[in-house]
C-alpha cells in the first residue's frame, strides 16, 4: 500500500514588474511582500495587496 504525504505548498506574491521569493508559509510571504511593493500589513496584521498583485502557489 502506498502512502501519500502531501506536498507542502510554497507561496509568493508577484506584481506586474517584480516577483517575490518562494516562502514555505503564507504568513512569511505576506510579511515580505511589502519589500517588492506587492502590498502591506494593516494595523490589525491583515495583508492588503495592491492592485495587480497576484498570489502564486507551487
Amino acid at each position: 500500500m502506498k502512502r501519500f504525504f502531501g506536498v507542502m505548498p510554497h507561496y509568493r506574491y508577484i506584481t506586474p514588474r517584480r516577483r517575490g521569493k518562494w516562502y514555505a508559509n503564507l504568513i512569511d510571504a505576506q510579511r515580505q511582500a511589502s519589500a517588492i511593493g506587492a502590498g502591506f500589513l494593516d494595523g490589525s496584521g491583515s495583508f492588503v495587496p495592491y492592485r495587480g498583485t497576484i498570489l502564486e502557489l507551487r
Side-chain angles (χ1 to χ4, degrees), residues 15-39:
T15 69
R17 293 190 175 99
R18 301 198 62 191
R19 296 178 186 273
K21 294 180 182 178
W22 290 103
Y23 292 94
N25 62 59
L26 182 59
I27 302 297
D28 288 339
Q30 290 174 338
R31 286 183 186 144
Q32 299 300 320
S34 62
I36 66 161

Side-chain angles (χ1 to χ4, degrees), residues 1-56:
M1 180 166 85
K2 290 185 178 181
R3 290 185 179 175
F4 175 74
F5 295 100
V7 176
M8 297 294 293
H10 285 84
Y11 306 89
R12 77 174 175 180
Y13 283 93
I14 60 174
T15 69
R17 293 190 175 99
R18 301 198 62 191
R19 296 178 186 273
K21 294 180 182 178
W22 290 103
Y23 292 94
N25 62 59
L26 182 59
I27 302 297
D28 288 339
Q30 290 174 338
R31 286 183 186 144
Q32 299 300 320
S34 62
I36 66 161
F40 63 95
L41 294 174
D42 67 7
S44 66
S46 298
F47 182 71
V48 180
Y50 293 129
R51 187 179 311 186
T53 296
I54 299 170
L55 173 62
E56 193 172 42

